Amino acid sequence: MSITLKVNGKTHSVDVDADTPLLWVLRDELRLTGTKYGCGISQCGACTVHLDGSPTRSCVLPVQSVGDRSVTTIEGLESPAAAAVQKAWAEMDVPQCGYCQSGQVMSAVGLLEQTPQPDDDAIDGAMRGNVCRCATYQRIRAAIHRAAGELEA
Amino acid sequence: MNTPVDDLLLANVSRRHFLKGLAAGSALVLAARWDLALGEEEKEYGADAMPHGWVDDPNVFIRIDADGTVTVTNHRAEMGQGIRTSLVMVAADELGADWDRVRVEQAPADQEKYGNQNTDGSRSMRHWFAPIRRAGAAARMMLERAAAERWGVPASECHARVHAVVHAASGRELGFGDLAAAARELSVPPRERLELKPQSEWRYIGEDAGPAYDVKRGSVVRPKAIDGEDIVTGQAVYGADVAFEDMLYAVVARPPVYGAMLRSVDDGEALKVPGVLRTVEIDGTGQPAGFKPLGGVAVVAENTWAAIQGRKALKIDWNLESAGDNAAYDSKAYRKQLQQTARAPGKVIRDEGDIESALADAAERVSATYYMPHMAQAPMEPPVAVARIVNGRAEVWAPVQNPGATRSGVAKRLGLEPEDVTVNVTLLGGGFGRKSKPDFAQEAASLTKAFDGRPVRVQWTRDDDLHHTYFHAVSVDRLEAGLDADGRALGWRHRTLSPSIGSLFAPDPEHIAPFELGQGFNTMPFDIPAIRLENPEAPAHVRIGWFRSVYNLPHAFAIQSFAAELAEAAGRDHRDYLLELLGPSREIDPRTFGDQWNYGENPERYPIDIGRMRAVIEKATAEAGWGRDLPKGRGLGLAVHNSFVSYTAVVFDVELGDGGGLIIHSADIAFDCGPQVNPERIRAQLEGACVMGIGIAMQSEITFSEGRVQQDNFHQYLVPRIDRAPRETRVHLINPDSEAAIGGVGEPGLPPVAPALCNAIHAATGRRIRRLPVGDQLSA
Ligand code: FES
Ligand code: FES
């Protein structure tokens, strides 16, 4: 069936089964491959996108239930918090293999937009859903602090 | 730069002796060693001993365009270890290039052209620092010669500075881009005339701006990671990101038990799923599986989701008979079986002194049995590959650690010559040994063939990954020691039991192979009068394969836990006791332990160095404040291990929280891998290994029942999340300027983590963990 979607500020019309998770629509239909598959059951966070600004696991979100909410993927991320997070990530060499990092960045931006100065507990709480098998967690924490500092300045 | 390197220089003798000399670092030493080495007839080691060896032709690795852009070809797989940055740093530094004008190109599989590409064993920098340095130096000298000819001055007066060649006397200067075309026409300077930069002139190699995790530190001055920006903006291309307009999407239903075969399939319901096009049988390969696919039924569809839905609707009858007793494999029963076998003597691996009387005469006897379960590597990117066939030539895109084996495997599967197969290596979303086994690329090859060459992507789901990986070997280690009245160890008996990776390639040997024994078992370096090491049999019932640091994991866990148990029995401080077990600083030739393997390295250049082992222990304990007063319920734990010719010691500071939860306050990691090319990336590898090791200790376990894996996804196969990461992780790099040979980095950080953590748990709680993972043992 034909479904209309607003992704990164652009309206797309896709012809897919209504139950198809948003993840596969982004990846297979729209070729927005920055959003990754890691588990398919909301356990790893690799597929995190923003739905009207809040971090959401796209692997368990049927595309028909997106409605007219706007979807932002890593490719369309644009905000002061996003810029600060991406800069801190690159400067502190957070990524190792990098596969999980789109999801990590989406979650971190979501966190800073809600909680501008999170402490370690708040970071762990917000980022717990994002698995990094390379285990870049120490740097993720540090980079969030750094981005928070930059946003405050 | 198209001039072929002088073939004479590639003659075997020159090749191997040249490399050996070079690693010492300066041209002077090189010349001396070069003379010394000639005439020696000996076994090949290091990169010389790898299939297709090494290549140092600048024309293969370095291209300079007229606009000055320097393109370095990286032929090793990038999986997070940072080789695309680090190896390029080496080339750029020796060349004299400006980092901001250097880019990297990923080489396809072509070992004849590039040399060995098998990215495992923590070998990339160890084997490639010297050849890539030489390639950079040769290219620099060609640019200098091109400038000299242009200006009509002697080449010795022309020197490459940052991205330009300068003639100091006349103040003239030409950019690399201006010289590129002329330099390309020149012959490559012979190896013995290469002038390598002295370390004092390096600008990138070894550059250390201090730990990036220090939030308060100011601007970052080291070379930027090559893929960093692409990754944080979602532009980096992994295996699953390769797509074609007319591409099909496949998932495969594989036999649930190792060795089972397809009997029949009813795909009627599957074909009714919208988007599903066809099902295709993939030939099974039985045992031993090697890198060949397990076989099964592929559901091919217009998108990934339809393929997954279609697979759910398949009705498959598997023939379990061909799996033999694998169909009854039960990991709990297997543990008991190994524990039972461990009670009797096994194949003798090392036998020094009189173990029987050492144990019989002991004032105190200590024994313990340790267990480590199967685990899955579970890289965040599950296996995935894209393949197509155009005009009889196959093309593959895949995240593979072993491009060479991918190419030959795909060629064989399709009945093509390797020359007719192109393997494009994408970024790997993690490897950890899983992607050394390119079975998934062969699946994609079979599927594109079934669709007349149309591009097909085969995607493994997480369930597929956990159910059908090449599992880390389960293991039982039984140790027994006799102490004298002063607590000194007189005798040490260790039996290690685990299925061998050898079972993947040949009839099950039921004993581990030399390269598995050499991972910390027969190389156990304690200075004890009587030592007996045995390896009783342990059959394989699943595909066993490499997992980051491999058999070092169980060996380090058992030996380092047991050393702490002995210290306790002796009433001694664990660090002091461990240092005494190691004995005085000395270099041990691993061959004296019966280890001819030594990670493929020359035992004279890479001996087991007890001094370095002691040094990492001393550093980690000093930094962690070993011996300080701690409140009740809190403790420090230590472990040390050498692997991949590097040395790691770890100290954890832990506390038992309310409700049995473990709080890991800090980790101090001392690491010595010899000279460091990219210190910041080394720290990152150690930080990651630390947390992965915490997961191995605390929670990661694959179990089997009736031959089937019982964990489907990350809700059951637990891997560490951010709250498992210590709040403080300090990596202490030792010996950055050492003249020692380069050691491995990706793996050696992992083995000591689990025993250090379990030793810390013991210090904090009095509980000795002998069965991993810890799971709920602390609250029980
Ligand atoms: S893929 Fe969505 S949470 Fe893992
Ligand atoms: S960086 Fe590799 S999974 Fe996170």
Side-chain angles (χ1 to χ4, degrees):
Chain A
M1 83 184 253
S2 181
I3 290 173
T4 304
L5 269 185
K6 203 154 91 217
V7 182
N8 298 335
K10 265 174 69 184
T11 304
H12 299 265
S13 169
V14 291
D15 187 20
V16 292
D17 194 71
D19 290 339
T20 308
L22 174 62
L23 169 68
W24 298 112
V25 175
L26 294 172
R27 290 188 53 82
D28 292 352
E29 309 298 326
L30 304 182
R31 300 281 195 239
L32 290 168
T33 53
T35 306
K36 304 299 188 200
Y37 166 81
C39 70
I41 58 162
S42 194
Q43 284 288 318
C44 79
C47 64
T48 306
V49 299
H50 289 181
L51 210 56
D52 277 347
S54 36
T56 305
R57 310 290 184 233
S58 65
C59 69
V60 289
L61 184 72
V63 64
Q64 65 176 349
S65 66
V66 174
D68 53 12
R69 290 178 287 179
S70 66
V71 178
T72 308
T73 70
I74 186 80
E75 292 92 345
L77 201 55
E78 231 183 63
S79 72
V85 165
Q86 284 167 320
K87 180 161 171 270
W89 244 244
E91 276 184 356
M92 302 184 88
D93 280 346
V94 172
Q96 288 186 29
C97 82
Y99 190 81
C100 73
Q101 298 293 345
S102 304
Q104 304 282 2
V105 166
M106 298 307 285
S107 292
V109 171
L111 166 65
L112 288 177
E113 278 167 356
Q114 286 300 310
T115 314
Q117 297 297 323
D119 60 13
D120 280 350
D121 287 335
I123 292 173
D124 284 7
M127 303 300 291
R128 221 193 151 269
N130 288 81
V131 174
C132 175
R133 193 65 173 132
C134 302
T136 59
Y137 300 125
Q138 297 100 326
R139 283 175 197 235
I140 287 173
R141 266 193 216 122
I144 290 174
H145 285 305
R146 191 179 176 108
E150 187 150 319
L151 285 168
E152 194 187 38
Chain B
M1 299 185 188
N2 284 324
T3 320
V5 71
D6 186 349
D7 272 341
L8 270 179
L9 286 172
L10 288 173
N12 213 12
V13 171
S14 329
R15 261 171 66 118
R16 90 176 170 239
H17 293 302
F18 199 85
L19 180 80
K20 194 161 55 174
L22 249 190
S26 79
L28 206 68
V29 178
L30 180 147
R33 287 266 197 108
W34 167 255
D35 293 342
L36 198 83
L38 280 175
E40 261 178 40
E41 213 36 73
E42 56 186 81
K43 188 181 160 191
E44 294 200 332
Y45 295 110
D48 291 341
M50 300 299 295
H52 301 284
W54 48 268
V55 169
D56 63 357
D57 182 353
N59 297 308
V60 168
F61 292 108
I62 297 168
R63 194 182 73 228
I64 304 176
D65 293 333
D67 68 356
T69 304
V70 170
T71 304
V72 179
T73 298
N74 170 56
H75 65 301
R76 308 287 294 176
E78 174 61 64
M79 54 189 133
Q81 85 279 41
I83 200 65
R84 269 163 68 92
T85 299
S86 306
L87 218 45
V88 174
M89 274 167 59
V90 174
D93 217 346
E94 202 51 70
L95 180 64
D98 173 7
W99 189 252
D100 290 335
R101 283 190 272 174
V102 177
R103 29 186 308 276
V104 63
E105 217 164 73
Q106 189 68 30
D110 189 348
Q111 301 200 108
E112 255 117 54
K113 179 172 178 184
Y114 300 106
N116 187 273
Q117 292 182 273
N118 186 7
T119 314
D120 76 353
S122 298
R123 284 190 298 250
S124 288
M125 196 48 80
R126 194 161 106 218
H127 287 183
W128 286 91
F129 176 71
I132 294 299
R133 233 188 123 189
R134 289 199 296 275
R140 164 175 40 78
M141 290 171 68
M142 290 157 81
L143 290 163
E144 289 169 344
R145 228 161 69 221
E149 280 173 19
R150 181 89 56 95
W151 294 324
V153 300
S156 58
E157 292 177 11
C158 300
H159 296 287
R161 298 287 175 252
V162 184
H163 232 83
V165 177
V166 177
H167 184 243
S170 62
R172 281 176 292 188
E173 177 174 330
L174 279 169
F176 281 2
D178 300 323
L179 295 164
R184 202 175 294 138
E185 300 304 319
L186 299 174
S187 61
V188 175
R191 278 191 204 106
E192 64 272 20
R193 254 174 270 146
L194 289 180
E195 289 156 26
L196 297 174
K197 279 191 181 172
Q199 190 169 338
S200 58
E201 282 177 29
W202 288 347
R203 299 168 61 239
Y204 308 131
I205 301 170
E207 184 61 39
D208 193 359
Y213 48 76
D214 180 356
V215 187
K216 291 166 286 275
R217 206 163 40 88
S219 67
V220 181
V221 295
R222 71 183 168 279
K224 270 196 296 203
I226 291 269
D227 298 300
E229 302 266 341
D230 282 351
I231 288 170
V232 299
T233 54
Q235 303 302 316
V237 177
Y238 299 85
D241 302 336
V242 174
F244 295 92
E245 207 40 60
D246 57 342
M247 188 175 77
L248 299 172
Y249 300 77
V251 296
V252 179
R254 300 176 186 81
V257 173
Y258 180 33
M261 296 281 178
L262 181 69
R263 187 174 283 136
S264 65
V265 57
D266 170 359
D267 62 5
E269 291 302 311
L271 293 175
K272 286 187 198 150
V273 173
V276 170
L277 302 172
R278 236 175 91 185
T279 64
V280 178
E281 281 183 28
I282 296 187
D283 284 346
T285 45
Q287 308 170 59
F291 298 155
K292 299 182 294 281
L294 289 168
V297 182
V299 178
V300 184
E302 287 168 346
N303 59 65
T304 314
W305 180 247
I308 293 172
Q309 298 309 105
R311 182 173 64 176
K312 281 188 199 150
L314 290 174
K315 293 187 194 76
I316 301 181
D317 184 14
W318 299 108
N319 171 8
L320 296 181
E321 278 141 42
S322 58
D325 59 0
N326 293 352
Y329 182 50
D330 180 297
S331 46
K332 233 190 210 150
Y334 189 74
R335 169 154 64 95
K336 300 217 171 80
Q337 178 192 327
L338 290 193
Q339 284 168 346
Q340 192 56 38
T341 312
R343 298 187 163 276
K347 183 175 159 187
V348 179
I349 304 298
R350 241 175 91 186
D351 195 14
E352 291 151 25
D354 182 352
I355 187 67
E356 292 307 331
S357 46
L359 292 177
D361 300 346
E364 184 169 3
R365 268 172 89 147
V366 185
S367 68
T369 303
Y370 303 91
Y371 175 76
M372 194 179 270
H374 285 297
M375 292 181 289
Q377 302 85 352
M380 280 312 291
E381 173 197 45
V384 60
V386 176
R388 69 174 178 184
I389 301 170
V390 181
N391 298 329
R393 292 184 42 90
E395 219 176 338
V396 175
W397 289 258
V400 285
Q401 289 176 244
N402 193 342
T406 307
R407 192 185 199 196
S408 54
V410 166
K412 197 152 176 228
R413 190 130 184 120
L414 296 178
L416 297 174
E417 292 302 316
E419 298 75 56
D420 292 325
V421 176
T422 302
V423 175
N424 303 289
V425 182
T426 64
L427 289 177
L428 280 66
F432 312 117
R434 171 61 184 93
K435 293 169 185 168
S436 295
K437 285 87 71 169
D439 53 336
F440 47 99
Q442 291 194 35
E443 290 177 338
S446 290
L447 289 171
T448 185
K449 188 173 182 183
F451 283 86
D452 300 322
R454 194 166 161 184
V456 180
R457 179 199 290 161
V458 60
Q459 171 73 56
W460 287 46
T461 61
R462 181 59 61 193
D463 307 42
D464 297 339
D465 175 48
L466 297 183
H467 293 173
H468 302 295
T469 189
Y470 295 73
F471 299 91
H472 171 69
V474 57
S475 55
V476 162
D477 286 87
R478 182 181 162 85
L479 289 101
E480 204 163 1
L483 309 183
D484 69 13
D486 296 324
R488 270 191 303 264
L490 299 173
W492 170 283
R493 185 167 67 199
H494 182 176
R495 294 185 183 131
T496 192
L497 299 83
S498 36
S500 170
I501 294 173
S503 62
L504 197 54
F505 305 104
D508 189 355
E510 300 202 354
H511 293 279
I512 60 176
F515 64 88
E516 295 163 338
L517 296 167
Q519 294 179 18
F521 180 65
N522 59 6
T523 50
M524 193 286 294
F526 292 158
D527 187 11
I528 298 173
I531 293 174
R532 181 151 167 123
L533 307 182
E534 299 172 9
N535 175 226
E537 71 278 5
H541 294 294
V542 300
R543 292 199 297 185
I544 303 290
W546 300 280
F547 178 115
R548 189 182 194 177
S549 84
V550 209
Y551 290 81
N552 283 291
L553 287 169
H555 299 151
F557 172 58
I559 293 168
Q560 291 298 312
S561 297
F562 195 58
E565 298 210 43
L566 294 188
E568 193 199 358
R572 300 282 312 281
D573 172 78
H574 176 207
R575 175 189 58 182
D576 296 348
Y577 195 83
L578 185 57
L579 289 170
E580 270 175 40
L581 281 174
L582 286 168
S585 294
R586 64 201 183 280
E587 291 185 356
I588 302 171
D589 186 324
R591 288 172 299 194
T592 61
F593 289 155
D595 174 34
Q596 309 291 335
W597 177 61
N598 199 35
Y599 298 90
E601 302 298 344
N602 184 336
E604 279 156 31
R605 279 191 62 219
Y606 288 93
I608 299 171
D609 189 331
I610 302 299
R612 292 169 79 184
M613 219 162 199
R614 296 180 66 97
V616 288
I617 293 172
E618 277 155 7
K619 181 71 178 172
T621 50
E623 295 285 349
W626 188 265
R628 70 188 139 100
D629 284 334
L630 290 168
K632 198 173 166 322
R634 188 162 171 178
L636 302 184
L638 160 71
V640 68
H641 190 71
N642 61 317
S643 62
F644 305 91
V645 290
S646 291
Y647 300 81
T648 316
V650 180
V651 176
F652 281 109
D653 174 352
V654 310
E655 184 172 4
L656 196 63
D658 308 331
L662 189 73
I663 303 162
I664 304 175
H665 290 290
S666 64
D668 281 278
I669 302 161
F671 184 61
D672 175 2
C673 63
Q676 301 155 17
V677 170
N678 188 349
E680 186 50 20
R681 192 54 84 127
I682 295 172
R683 271 192 286 267
Q685 286 294 295
L686 273 284
E687 294 159 25
C690 173
V691 179
M692 182 181 255
I694 290 171
I696 289 171
M698 299 302 295
Q699 55 190 166
S700 300
E701 175 171 29
I702 293 285
T703 58
F704 287 82
S705 173
E706 296 184 344
R708 292 157 164 87
V709 172
Q710 294 179 290
Q711 291 72 27
D712 295 334
N713 209 316
F714 287 132
H715 62 301
Q716 292 160 328
Y717 182 64
L718 305 179
V719 297
R721 294 168 181 273
I722 193 167
D723 49 4
R724 283 276 183 211
R727 289 287 162 91
E728 295 270 349
T729 307
R730 293 175 290 261
V731 178
H732 314 285
L733 298 182
I734 294 200
N735 217 2
D737 297 317
S738 95
E739 283 288 300
I742 293 181
V745 170
E747 296 169 271
L750 195 57
V753 174
L757 191 64
C758 291
N759 289 341
I761 289 171
H762 182 266
T765 67
R767 290 216 208 162
R768 175 51 63 184
I769 302 292
R770 299 196 183 96
R771 171 171 55 85
L772 294 186
V774 172
D776 58 9
Q777 293 178 68
L778 292 178
S779 49

